[in-house]
Amino acid sequence: MARVFNFSAGPAALPLEVLEEARESLTDWQGSGMGLMEISHRSKAFVSVAEQAEADIRELLNISDDYAVLFLQGGATQQFALIPLNLSDEGQIVDQLVTGSWSKKALKEGKSARNVNIVADGADLNYADVPARDSWRLTPDAAYFHYCSNETIGGVEIHEAPDVGDVPLVTDMSSTILSRPIDVSRFGLIYAGAQKNIGPSGLTIVIVRKDLVERGRPASDILNYAAHAEGGSMMNTPPTFAWYVAGLVFAWVKKQGGLQAMAELNKAKADKLYAAVDGSDFYANPVAPACRSWMNIPFTLAKPELDGDFLAQADAAGLTNLKGHRSVGGMRASIYNAVSIDAIDTLVSFMEEFERSNA
Ligand SMILES: *Cc1c(COP(=O)(O)O)cnc(C)c1O
């Protein structure tokens, strides 16, 4: 079996050990004569898988009992729509920071439900930098402040939780969760689609302070975080297989040494790749150094007419999914937790060789 180095933005690479263990679950899980996918979400066996996964993510992120951890469907995109409904009531103003494609999508959904104040918009900066903190127009009594911790497409990461006073922080961490330790107590709500750093698509994690979900309470239970929390994320059938694999990933992260160890490795990986880009006249990354993503690194070639050759030769060298998002072009290396430092070294050598033959 030849595994390639997979730089996909999502669904993305998973640790081989996790995939091998998941494979064992397909046909005869723990001697039951049934695959894990074939058993009820309400069975004792699955409930214990589900509880272990929750216990492990709570341990990794040091999540207190003041927070519910929800295992939902609908992706991060559905949370763009559910957050305003659950965390604010109709008369309240919602603050949103716009730093790129994903926070723009969240803005559109926010506006469709609530009166949104755009705190700042990075359009003038080409979304290659975060608007300076002293330019933000905050609403003192906003229901919450929404931002995107890591813009997966633009490669812009807000490394520290911003200080917005007593207004609850709400953040889309789809592409950065579990890449480093975070202080969950700083946040009102954190959400993440699983398919970047957590597991298969189809699962979305929502970590929400319990007192906040009482605010909006949408009438329909399926849209209602409080109802999901009360039902242990099993109001209806959850994505059982994705939940199980997420649990394997949490256990794998613990085995790697937890989030501090992940952070050290991820920083080393990102530093290497940025150094290769910055050290050459052939490759360029437009993002301001202070907000460069550890997880998604876009870069362009000095000769864009060679993009196709770069991708074809990279592919032939076992380096796949390096094409940049269609909205920005160029290349993008997504280097989530499951992407090894070996993958980075191989990519950097390839880039150096490509430059030598084409510059
Ligand atoms: C991938 C991604 C999304 C969209 O996630 P879906 O699960 O497809 O809805 C939203 N925000 C960010 C930051 C992402 O990386």
Side-chain angles (χ1 to χ4, degrees):
M1 176 189 59
R3 296 268 297 168
V4 296
F5 292 121
N6 178 7
F7 298 94
S8 174
L14 286 166
L16 181 59
E17 285 162 72
V18 164
L19 295 173
E20 285 172 340
E21 194 173 342
R23 181 175 60 197
E24 295 304 305
S25 80
L26 292 180
T27 52
D28 181 12
W29 187 60
Q30 296 188 343
S32 65
M34 297 173 283
L36 177 114
M37 274 190 279
E38 302 176 290
I39 64 172
S40 167
H41 55 297
R42 304 203 188 277
S43 64
K44 244 196 196 144
F46 185 77
V47 168
S48 94
V49 165
E51 287 174 352
Q52 187 61 50
E54 180 173 338
D56 284 343
I57 191 175
R58 281 186 180 276
E59 182 183 330
L60 282 168
L61 288 167
N62 196 16
I63 303 171
S64 82
D65 287 341
D66 296 338
Y67 291 79
V69 179
L70 308 179
F71 290 75
L72 304 178
Q73 307 190 37
T77 304
Q78 182 155 295
Q79 312 322 309
F80 296 162
L82 294 189
I83 288 164
L85 300 181
N86 280 271
L87 261 57
S88 60
D89 61 43
E90 258 166 87
Q92 284 181 298
I93 291 177
V94 165
D95 274 1
Q96 297 200 222
L97 175 67
V98 181
T99 53
S101 306
W102 289 114
S103 49
K104 256 196 251 181
K105 290 194 173 168
L107 173 67
K108 181 168 174 284
E109 292 294 339
K111 277 180 166 170
S112 77
R114 293 291 182 258
N115 189 357
V116 176
N117 167 50
I118 300 171
V119 165
D121 187 323
D124 295 347
L125 307 164
N126 251 332
Y127 298 116
D129 200 353
V130 176
R133 174 66 181 77
D134 59 14
S135 72
W136 296 5
R137 296 172 304 271
L138 294 163
T139 309
D141 56 350
Y144 58 85
F145 171 97
H146 179 281
Y147 74 106
C148 180
S149 292
N150 186 63
E151 289 282 0
T152 316
I153 293 171
V156 169
E157 182 157 6
I158 297 176
H159 293 278
E160 295 284 332
D163 180 1
V164 293
D166 291 335
V167 174
L169 280 178
V170 172
T171 188
D172 178 357
M173 280 201 187
S174 293
S175 49
T176 182
I177 194 164
L178 302 184
S179 66
R180 64 173 80 196
I182 48 168
D183 180 0
V184 171
S185 73
R186 293 283 316 277
F187 295 90
L189 186 148
I190 295 167
Y191 63 105
Q195 68 273 19
K196 281 57 184 263
N197 235 353
I198 291 177
S201 59
L203 172 71
T204 313
I205 301 287
V206 174
I207 302 164
V208 60
R209 227 174 66 204
K210 288 174 182 165
D211 60 306
L212 293 178
V213 295
E214 298 301 332
R215 285 189 178 174
R217 274 234 171 225
S220 172
D221 276 351
I222 196 71
L223 306 179
N224 186 318
Y225 289 145
H228 280 292
E230 282 152 21
S233 303
M234 293 205 191
M235 187 200 311
N236 67 329
T237 315
T240 54
F241 188 69
W243 191 331
Y244 159 71
V245 177
L248 297 182
V249 171
F250 301 152
W252 177 84
V253 173
K254 280 170 62 176
K255 218 169 102 190
Q256 308 310 301
L259 296 186
Q260 193 55 47
M262 287 317 325
E264 282 158 30
L265 181 61
N266 285 325
K267 177 156 194 325
K269 282 155 53 185
D271 282 351
K272 263 193 176 173
L273 190 46
Y274 284 118
V277 169
D278 291 344
S280 111
D281 294 327
F282 189 73
Y283 302 105
N285 168 285
V287 179
C291 54
R292 282 175 162 185
S293 171
W294 285 9
M295 294 281 105
N296 310 94
I297 303 183
F299 60 92
T300 52
L301 274 52
K303 297 177 181 168
E305 65 275 17
L306 294 180
D307 282 2
D309 289 350
F310 181 94
L311 289 166
Q313 289 173 34
D315 225 40
L319 300 157
T320 67
N321 291 319
L322 284 163
K323 193 170 167 36
H325 190 269
R326 58 188 185 279
S327 65
V328 292
M331 308 298 152
R332 170 177 52 173
S334 293
I335 55 173
Y336 300 120
N337 285 351
V339 176
S340 64
I341 196 116
D342 201 23
I344 308 297
D345 289 335
T346 310
L347 174 60
V348 167
S349 304
F350 170 81
M351 288 167 67
E352 287 166 356
E353 183 54 41
F354 189 86
E355 178 176 353
R356 263 194 299 277
S357 357
N358 294 285

